[in-house]
Amino acid sequence: MGDVGYALVLLGGGVLLRRRHPEAGWQRSLAEILVACAVFSGLFGLCFGELFGDLGRRWVRLCTPSGSTARSQWGPFLILAVSLGGACCSAW
């Protein structure tokens, strides 16, 4: 998932969960995962200029460095994801 808006939602959920459960436990682990996912989602969202879909390009004028969108690059990303999944599964 690469979207700046979703990253903000994930970050807010992670920070809220971390504040409510500062002690070690599954809630704290979940909060750390949410924050890590938010960071990467925000980075990829900036790369593809996405803020809750194409609102980033339409409202905020987020532009992509390469001029491409995530929707136009789904083929190479699908090949990359399947290749990485196959490599990880074959390593087991």
Side-chain angles (χ1 to χ4, degrees), residues 5-81:
Y6 293 138
L8 294 174
V9 171
L10 289 172
L11 182 65
V15 168
L16 182 66
L17 193 60
R18 171 82 183 217
R19 285 189 180 165
R20 288 188 182 211
H21 301 282
E23 68 282 347
W26 69 269
Q27 294 95 343
R28 183 173 174 167
S29 298
L30 179 62
E32 291 172 359
I33 291 170
L34 287 175
V35 170
C37 289
V39 168
F40 285 103
S41 179
L43 288 175
F44 282 105
L46 287 174
C47 288
F48 289 112
E50 294 199 359
L51 174 71
F52 294 120
D54 64 344
L55 291 180
R57 285 186 297 283
R58 290 191 293 151
W59 289 4
V60 188
R61 304 233 189 255
L62 278 176
C63 58
T64 60
S66 65
S68 64
T69 63
R71 288 184 183 91
S72 68
Q73 297 294 320
W74 68 270
F77 279 112
L78 179 62
I79 292 169
L80 176 67

